[in-house]
Amino acid sequence: MHDIGIQSCLEPIYYETVETQTDQHYAFTNVSERKSNELPLPVQDGAHVSVETEESKAKHDHSHAMQLPPNVIFPTYEDDSFNAMSPPPMYEVEVVLRTTTKDDEIVGNENGDDSDEEDEDDDARDDEDLDPHWLPGEEKFSNDDNLLSEDGSDRDYTSSTPDCEKKYLVFDSCLNKLLKRCPDCGDVIIQHEKKTIGSNLSVELTCHSRHTTNWDSQPVVKKKPLGNLLMAASILFPGNTFAAISRFAPCFNLQFFSESVYYSTQQKYLIPVVNEAWEAESRRQIEKLSGKAVVNLDGDGRCDSPGHCAKYGTYTLMDDDTGDVVAFNVVQVSEVTSSSAMEKGFSRCIELLRSNNVTISRIATDRHVSISSSMNKDHPTINHQYDVWHLSKWVVKKLTNKAKQKGCEELSPWIQSIANHLWWSAAACNGSVDLLHEKWKSVLNHTISKHNWSGNTHFHKCSHSRISSSEAKRICWLKPGTPAHLALEEVVLNPKLLKHLAKLADFCHTGRLEVYHSMMLKYCSKREHFSYQGMVARTQLAALDNNANTGCNQAQVQAGEHAGEARYKMCFPKSS
């Protein structure tokens, strides 16, 4: 047995006691760390060397006792001044979880007392103290993903693909603690050079044994850090924008890629992937429509900015039965005469479906002039219907303007009731245009408290219940021949309105399409500008999002006295 003093040029001496069994083919090492004033220096056989002389030699001679036996483990530096150095490499330790039974819950000693204190002492000791044959690398750390989650579920989060792999935020100071040892030989790192490529950190490590190792914080494929690609995808796919994330990154001092890197990644990798996914979804929707005998569609256009200065116009066709987006087209203002004439996408969507052998039975749109003209000239065989809400909105607008005129103030309380009457007339006409006209015109009699009349073919009296005399006194009835009643008659009997009533017989409305356009704001905000390809890709993402969530069941209350009932979210209009 002999002791060897080991000294770094910056730190106090550490000693190792090496015991070698000459009658065996192996040797084991018992490593203990001691300060120079805690253990006498080794004395060679046949010689007496003072402690002071040997310690002075070790302090001033850096080459003294630096040659280690082949089986000596490299010393572990625990002093605080070695924080700049790298710790030993982490070795994998296999952890075996054993199910605890009732017999194992309470284990007592011979005296019947619990042995928790002894267990704590055993846990505090390292494996190398318990087993003299222990060497690093013989144990393996288990992956945290293999352990059960806190909620007890057995969901599998592990995957060989980088997108499913967990990611963590690591501070620079915490990372430096891991980069203190050479991963090849375990020697101390004497030099490291860092550089960042977007969110990727690349470190070149050089150890005392002159081994050079390159380490990257994320996988790199063909010189492309996959973290940058996944971060760019995480911006585009949920509908975020680079501008918002780029404001977050410098505030957090997070290493991030530049705007040019993001848009080049989007152009080269992300947009083709989104387009491929939408093409597959479009083919699936067209196949479904081709197999249906009756195809009813809803159509509506959307501009990319408020007002009449839009750059892009997006026209969307939705299946009225399922709520799936089946086709859309983005039109740039340079393709048409003005931003108000960007309904050109409607014709492109119709031609796309008809070229794939889809027979459209009915389509419901707003009252846009160019669409009505296109339907009359190019698609006369398709039943063209108007959205009830758009026509009702036109009626409310006309009546509101009339009520502002002098002598027509009494018309104001009736505006909402007249709009409701239009909805009821379209819903209760059973597809008959004549019955729809008669029910709509009956509002002129009802507002003057006349509930029975003659001269009609199908509708002769009001459908509401009998109004009592006391209730009738509280209603502000209009008087025949007054300016208010004449103004109402002018709106109700408007020739253009009566002509358009014929296209309300099927009682169609595009409410779900309006909801879809509201959801599109998450992907295509009207307050930000996008390139044409970016606008198309974001519209494709919105359509994929919509189609993936159609057909969901109504949420239900899970607990309480209303358990099992349909669950709703309280919403309030902007005016409230």
Side-chain angles (χ1 to χ4, degrees):
M1 175 186 296
H2 59 279
D3 291 342
I4 298 175
I6 301 175
Q7 180 191 17
S8 169
C9 56
L10 298 177
E11 291 299 320
I13 302 175
Y14 295 85
Y15 300 94
E16 295 181 344
T17 300
V18 180
E19 298 179 2
T20 305
Q21 297 180 3
T22 57
D23 56 344
Q24 299 292 337
H25 296 287
Y26 62 90
F28 65 88
T29 304
N30 186 9
V31 182
S32 61
E33 180 184 343
R34 303 180 178 93
K35 298 292 183 179
S36 59
N37 57 357
E38 295 177 357
L39 181 71
L41 289 170
V43 180
Q44 299 180 358
D45 297 336
H48 298 279
V49 182
S50 66
V51 175
E52 293 79 3
T53 304
E54 190 69 19
E55 182 178 0
S56 175
K57 182 178 180 180
K59 287 183 178 180
H60 299 285
D61 187 3
H62 292 177
S63 62
H64 173 70
M66 292 302 292
Q67 301 298 327
L68 301 181
N71 292 324
V72 175
I73 302 176
F74 200 86
T76 302
Y77 293 88
E78 301 292 345
D79 195 270
D80 294 338
S81 61
F82 272 84
N83 290 336
M85 300 294 184
S86 299
M90 295 182 62
Y91 297 95
E92 295 184 350
V93 178
E94 183 176 1
V95 179
V96 180
L97 298 180
R98 183 169 62 91
T99 305
T100 304
T101 61
K102 293 183 178 179
D103 297 335
D104 298 329
E105 290 180 357
I106 301 177
V107 180
N109 53 24
E110 296 179 356
N111 298 327
D113 298 330
D114 294 340
S115 58
D116 293 341
E117 297 180 358
E118 296 180 4
D119 294 341
E120 292 178 358
D121 295 337
D122 293 340
D123 294 338
R125 287 182 290 176
D126 295 332
D127 293 335
E128 59 266 33
D129 297 333
L130 299 176
D131 186 5
H133 300 283
W134 180 88
L135 290 176
E138 295 181 349
E139 298 175 330
K140 296 182 179 180
F141 285 108
S142 66
N143 193 340
D144 291 340
D145 297 328
N146 296 330
L147 302 179
L148 293 177
S149 58
E150 295 181 358
D151 56 358
S153 62
D154 55 352
R155 292 173 292 181
D156 185 14
Y157 291 99
T158 61
S159 176
S160 59
T161 57
D163 59 315
C164 297
E165 186 178 345
K166 289 183 178 180
K167 291 88 177 172
Y168 304 92
L169 280 174
V170 181
F171 282 63
D172 188 62
S173 58
C174 298
L175 184 61
N176 290 334
K177 296 179 181 179
L178 299 178
L179 301 179
K180 292 185 177 182
R181 292 285 181 185
C182 178
D184 295 334
C185 63
D187 206 344
V188 177
I189 297 296
I190 61 175
Q191 181 181 0
H192 63 269
E193 183 177 344
K194 297 180 180 179
K195 65 177 182 178
T196 58
I197 305 175
S199 61
N200 177 49
L201 172 64
S202 180
V203 185
E204 183 177 317
L205 304 172
T206 304
C207 69
H208 190 270
S209 301
R210 296 303 175 185
H211 294 142
T212 301
T213 305
N214 292 320
W215 178 84
D216 293 289
S217 62
Q218 53 190 246
V220 179
V221 178
K222 295 182 179 181
K223 299 182 179 180
K224 180 72 175 180
L226 296 186
N228 292 344
L229 177 62
L230 294 177
M231 290 183 71
S234 300
I235 293 175
L236 176 63
F237 293 167
N240 296 322
T241 60
F242 177 80
I245 304 300
S246 63
R247 290 192 295 267
F248 159 78
C251 182
F252 189 59
N253 201 15
L254 178 68
Q255 300 304 305
F256 206 62
F257 45 76
S258 63
E259 184 177 7
S260 59
V261 172
Y262 168 73
Y263 283 111
S264 63
T265 303
Q266 175 183 272
Q267 181 71 23
K268 188 175 182 180
Y269 300 103
L270 305 183
I271 291 181
V273 170
V274 175
N275 183 70
E276 183 179 354
W278 168 248
E279 291 295 335
E281 175 66 16
S282 179
R283 288 192 296 268
R284 187 178 72 87
Q285 293 296 334
I286 290 176
E287 289 178 1
K288 289 172 55 178
L289 296 180
S290 301
K292 295 175 63 175
V294 179
V295 177
N296 298 325
L297 301 177
D298 299 331
D300 194 17
R302 173 190 179 274
C303 295
D304 71 315
S305 61
H308 299 278
C309 57
K311 182 179 180 181
Y312 304 111
T314 305
Y315 202 90
T316 306
L317 290 181
M318 177 180 287
D319 189 350
D320 186 63
D321 300 327
T322 62
D324 292 334
V325 175
V326 298
F328 74 88
N329 187 264
V330 179
V331 180
Q332 197 165 352
V333 68
S334 58
E335 302 180 46
V336 293
T337 57
S338 64
S339 60
S340 60
M342 287 195 293
E343 302 291 337
K344 188 177 181 179
F346 169 79
S347 300
R348 295 178 179 177
C349 292
I350 296 295
E351 292 299 331
L352 172 65
L353 297 180
R354 299 189 72 171
S355 63
N356 287 277
N357 301 321
V358 176
T359 303
I360 303 175
S361 305
R362 186 192 70 202
I363 184 168
T365 67
D366 55 11
R367 299 192 309 140
H368 201 279
V369 177
S370 62
I371 293 180
S372 299
S373 176
S374 176
M375 290 296 298
N376 293 332
K377 295 178 182 179
D378 303 330
H379 313 288
T381 59
I382 300 178
N383 180 16
H384 184 208
Q385 292 288 307
Y386 285 153
D387 178 19
V388 182
W389 179 82
H390 284 89
L391 195 58
S392 175
K393 180 182 177 182
W394 181 88
V395 171
V396 171
K397 181 179 178 180
K398 293 295 182 180
L399 292 177
T400 302
N401 293 335
K402 293 292 185 181
K404 294 179 181 179
Q405 298 178 2
K406 185 178 180 179
C408 300
E409 293 81 3
E410 297 177 354
L411 184 59
S412 182
W414 286 93
I415 293 178
Q416 186 58 49
S417 298
I418 295 171
N420 295 342
H421 179 73
L422 177 62
W423 280 80
W424 173 81
S425 301
C429 69
N430 298 324
S432 174
V433 178
D434 295 336
L435 180 59
L436 174 59
H437 278 89
E438 292 183 2
K439 286 189 173 183
W440 168 243
K441 295 178 182 178
S442 66
V443 71
L444 296 175
N445 295 321
H446 175 78
T447 54
I448 60 175
S449 190
K450 185 178 181 180
H451 308 292
N452 294 275
W453 57 88
S454 59
N456 290 343
T457 305
H458 306 284
F459 194 62
H460 305 282
K461 64 177 182 178
C462 293
S463 298
H464 58 77
S465 59
R466 181 178 178 277
I467 301 176
S468 62
S469 57
S470 59
E471 186 178 358
K473 293 180 180 179
R474 296 196 300 268
I475 299 176
C476 301
W477 302 106
L478 300 180
K479 296 181 180 180
T482 59
H485 189 261
L486 294 176
L488 173 61
E489 184 178 352
E490 183 179 351
V491 174
V492 171
L493 301 180
N494 185 290
K496 185 178 181 179
L497 174 61
L498 295 178
K499 179 181 178 181
H500 290 171
L501 282 177
K503 296 185 178 182
L504 298 183
D506 290 349
F507 188 57
C508 302
H509 58 88
T510 60
R512 283 192 293 186
L513 194 51
E514 297 291 347
V515 172
Y516 164 70
H517 283 165
S518 179
M519 186 270 293
M520 274 188 66
L521 295 175
K522 183 179 75 170
Y523 296 92
C524 311
S525 174
K526 292 190 175 185
R527 303 296 178 181
E528 297 192 38
H529 172 264
F530 304 101
S531 64
Y532 179 81
Q533 291 182 335
M535 190 71 182
V536 173
R538 288 175 175 272
T539 307
Q540 290 173 340
L541 288 171
L544 291 171
D545 188 351
N546 175 83
N547 293 0
N549 291 281
T550 54
C552 297
N553 297 326
Q554 172 71 42
Q556 295 182 348
V557 179
Q558 299 298 323
E561 58 179 343
H562 300 287
E565 297 181 2
R567 190 177 68 188
Y568 298 94
K569 179 181 178 181
M570 296 295 294
C571 297
F572 303 93
K574 296 180 181 179
S575 58
S576 59

Coordinates of all heavy atoms in Angstrom, one line a residue, residues 3-35:
D3 N 0.7 5.8 -0.7 CA -0.1 7.0 -1.0 C 0.5 7.8 -2.0 O 1.7 7.9 -2.1 CB -0.3 7.8 0.3 CG -1.1 7.1 1.4 OD1 -1.8 6.1 0.9 OD2 -1.0 7.4 2.5
I4 N -0.3 8.5 -2.8 CA 0.2 9.3 -3.9 C -0.5 10.7 -3.7 O -1.7 10.8 -3.6 CB -0.1 8.7 -5.2 CG1 0.5 7.4 -5.4 CG2 0.3 9.7 -6.3 CD1 0.2 6.7 -6.7
G5 N 0.3 11.7 -3.7 CA -0.2 13.1 -3.7 C -0.5 13.6 -5.0 O 0.4 13.5 -5.9
I6 N -1.7 14.1 -5.3 CA -2.1 14.6 -6.6 C -2.4 16.1 -6.4 O -3.3 16.4 -5.6 CB -3.3 13.8 -7.1 CG1 -2.9 12.4 -7.3 CG2 -3.7 14.4 -8.5 CD1 -4.0 11.5 -7.7
Q7 N -1.9 16.9 -7.3 CA -2.1 18.3 -7.1 C -2.4 18.9 -8.5 O -1.8 18.6 -9.5 CB -0.8 19.0 -6.5 CG -0.9 20.5 -6.4 CD 0.4 21.1 -6.1 OE1 1.4 20.5 -6.3 NE2 0.3 22.4 -5.6
S8 N -3.4 19.8 -8.5 CA -3.6 20.7 -9.6 C -2.8 22.0 -9.4 O -2.5 22.3 -8.3 CB -5.1 21.0 -9.8 OG -5.2 22.0 -10.7
C9 N -2.5 22.7 -10.5 CA -1.7 23.9 -10.4 C -2.5 25.0 -9.8 O -2.0 26.1 -9.5 CB -1.2 24.3 -11.7 SG -2.5 24.5 -13.0
L10 N -3.8 24.8 -9.5 CA -4.6 25.8 -8.9 C -5.2 25.4 -7.5 O -5.8 26.3 -6.9 CB -5.8 26.2 -9.8 CG -5.4 26.7 -11.2 CD1 -6.7 26.9 -12.0 CD2 -4.6 28.0 -11.1
E11 N -5.1 24.2 -7.1 CA -5.9 23.7 -6.0 C -4.9 22.9 -5.0 O -3.8 22.6 -5.3 CB -7.0 22.7 -6.4 CG -8.1 23.5 -7.2 CD -8.7 24.5 -6.3 OE1 -8.9 24.2 -5.1 OE2 -9.0 25.6 -6.8
P12 N -5.4 22.7 -3.8 CA -4.6 21.9 -2.8 C -4.5 20.5 -3.2 O -5.1 20.0 -4.1 CB -5.5 22.1 -1.5 CG -6.8 22.4 -2.0 CD -6.7 23.2 -3.2
I13 N -3.7 19.8 -2.5 CA -3.3 18.4 -2.8 C -4.5 17.5 -2.4 O -5.1 17.7 -1.4 CB -2.0 18.0 -2.1 CG1 -0.9 18.9 -2.5 CG2 -1.7 16.5 -2.5 CD1 0.4 18.6 -1.8
Y14 N -4.7 16.4 -3.2 CA -5.7 15.4 -2.9 C -4.9 14.1 -2.9 O -4.0 13.9 -3.8 CB -6.8 15.3 -3.9 CG -7.7 16.5 -3.9 CD1 -7.3 17.7 -4.6 CD2 -8.8 16.6 -3.1 CE1 -8.1 18.8 -4.6 CE2 -9.6 17.7 -3.1 CZ -9.2 18.8 -3.8 OH -10.0 19.9 -3.8
Y15 N -5.2 13.2 -2.0 CA -4.4 12.0 -1.9 C -5.3 10.8 -2.1 O -6.5 10.8 -1.9 CB -3.8 11.9 -0.4 CG -2.9 13.0 -0.1 CD1 -3.4 14.1 0.6 CD2 -1.6 13.0 -0.5 CE1 -2.5 15.2 0.9 CE2 -0.7 14.0 -0.2 CZ -1.2 15.1 0.5 OH -0.4 16.1 0.8
E16 N -4.7 9.8 -2.7 CA -5.4 8.5 -2.9 C -4.6 7.4 -2.3 O -3.3 7.3 -2.5 CB -5.5 8.3 -4.4 CG -6.5 9.3 -5.1 CD -6.6 9.0 -6.5 OE1 -5.8 8.2 -7.1 OE2 -7.5 9.5 -7.1
T17 N -5.2 6.5 -1.7 CA -4.6 5.3 -1.1 C -4.9 4.1 -2.0 O -6.1 3.8 -2.3 CB -5.1 5.0 0.3 OG1 -4.9 6.1 1.1 CG2 -4.5 3.7 0.9
V18 N -3.9 3.5 -2.6 CA -4.0 2.5 -3.6 C -3.6 1.1 -2.9 O -2.5 1.0 -2.4 CB -3.2 2.7 -4.8 CG1 -3.3 1.6 -5.8 CG2 -3.5 4.1 -5.4
E19 N -4.5 0.2 -2.9 CA -4.2 -1.1 -2.4 C -4.2 -2.1 -3.5 O -5.2 -2.2 -4.3 CB -5.3 -1.5 -1.4 CG -5.3 -0.6 -0.2 CD -6.4 -1.0 0.8 OE1 -7.0 -2.1 0.6 OE2 -6.6 -0.4 1.9
T20 N -3.1 -2.8 -3.7 CA -2.9 -3.8 -4.8 C -2.8 -5.2 -4.2 O -1.9 -5.4 -3.3 CB -1.7 -3.4 -5.6 OG1 -1.9 -2.0 -6.1 CG2 -1.6 -4.3 -6.8
Q21 N -3.5 -6.1 -4.7 CA -3.4 -7.5 -4.3 C -2.5 -8.2 -5.3 O -2.9 -8.3 -6.5 CB -4.8 -8.2 -4.2 CG -5.7 -7.5 -3.2 CD -7.0 -8.2 -3.1 OE1 -7.2 -9.2 -3.9 NE2 -7.9 -7.8 -2.3
T22 N -1.3 -8.6 -4.9 CA -0.4 -9.1 -5.8 C -0.7 -10.5 -6.3 O -0.3 -11.0 -7.3 CB 1.0 -9.2 -5.2 OG1 1.0 -9.9 -4.0 CG2 1.5 -7.7 -4.9
D23 N -1.5 -11.2 -5.4 CA -1.9 -12.6 -5.8 C -3.1 -12.7 -6.7 O -3.6 -13.8 -7.0 CB -2.1 -13.5 -4.6 CG -3.2 -12.8 -3.7 OD1 -3.5 -11.6 -3.9 OD2 -3.7 -13.5 -2.8
Q24 N -3.7 -11.6 -7.1 CA -4.8 -11.6 -8.0 C -4.4 -10.9 -9.3 O -3.4 -10.2 -9.4 CB -6.0 -10.8 -7.3 CG -6.5 -11.5 -6.1 CD -7.1 -12.8 -6.3 OE1 -7.6 -13.1 -7.4 NE2 -7.1 -13.6 -5.2
H25 N -5.3 -11.0 -10.3 CA -5.1 -10.4 -11.6 C -5.7 -9.1 -11.7 O -5.7 -8.5 -12.8 CB -5.6 -11.4 -12.7 CG -4.9 -12.7 -12.8 ND1 -3.6 -12.8 -13.2 CD2 -5.3 -13.9 -12.4 CE1 -3.3 -14.1 -13.2 NE2 -4.3 -14.8 -12.7
Y26 N -6.2 -8.6 -10.7 CA -6.9 -7.3 -10.7 C -6.5 -6.5 -9.5 O -6.0 -7.0 -8.5 CB -8.4 -7.4 -10.8 CG -9.0 -8.1 -9.6 CD1 -9.5 -7.3 -8.5 CD2 -9.2 -9.5 -9.6 CE1 -10.0 -8.0 -7.5 CE2 -9.7 -10.1 -8.5 CZ -10.2 -9.3 -7.5 OH -10.7 -9.9 -6.4
A27 N -6.8 -5.2 -9.5 CA -6.6 -4.3 -8.4 C -7.8 -3.5 -8.2 O -8.4 -3.1 -9.2 CB -5.3 -3.5 -8.6
F28 N -8.1 -3.1 -7.0 CA -9.2 -2.2 -6.8 C -8.7 -1.0 -6.1 O -7.6 -1.0 -5.4 CB -10.3 -2.8 -5.9 CG -9.9 -3.2 -4.5 CD1 -10.1 -2.3 -3.5 CD2 -9.4 -4.5 -4.3 CE1 -9.7 -2.6 -2.2 CE2 -9.1 -4.8 -3.0 CZ -9.2 -3.9 -1.9
T29 N -9.4 0.1 -6.2 CA -9.0 1.4 -5.7 C -9.9 1.9 -4.7 O -11.1 1.9 -4.9 CB -8.9 2.4 -6.9 OG1 -8.0 1.9 -7.9 CG2 -8.3 3.7 -6.4
N30 N -9.4 2.4 -3.6 CA -10.2 3.0 -2.6 C -9.8 4.5 -2.6 O -8.7 4.8 -2.2 CB -9.9 2.4 -1.2 CG -10.9 2.9 -0.1 OD1 -11.8 3.7 -0.5 ND2 -10.6 2.6 1.1
V31 N -10.7 5.3 -3.0 CA -10.4 6.7 -3.2 C -11.0 7.5 -2.0 O -12.1 7.3 -1.7 CB -11.1 7.2 -4.5 CG1 -10.7 8.7 -4.7 CG2 -10.6 6.4 -5.7
S32 N -10.2 8.3 -1.5 CA -10.6 9.2 -0.4 C -9.9 10.5 -0.6 O -8.8 10.6 -0.9 CB -10.2 8.6 1.0 OG -8.9 8.5 1.1
E33 N -10.7 11.5 -0.3 CA -10.2 12.9 -0.5 C -9.8 13.5 0.8 O -10.6 13.5 1.8 CB -11.3 13.7 -1.2 CG -10.9 15.2 -1.4 CD -12.1 15.9 -2.0 OE1 -13.0 15.3 -2.4 OE2 -12.0 17.2 -1.9
R34 N -8.6 14.0 0.9 CA -8.1 14.5 2.2 C -7.4 15.8 1.9 O -6.7 16.0 0.9 CB -7.2 13.6 2.9 CG -7.8 12.2 3.2 CD -6.8 11.3 3.9 NE -7.4 10.0 4.2 CZ -7.3 9.0 3.4 NH1 -6.7 9.1 2.3 NH2 -7.9 7.8 3.8
K35 N -7.4 16.7 2.9 CA -6.6 17.9 2.8 C -5.2 17.6 3.2 O -4.9 16.6 3.9 CB -7.2 19.0 3.7 CG -8.6 19.4 3.3 CD -8.6 20.2 2.0 CE -10.0 20.7 1.7 NZ -10.0 21.4 0.4

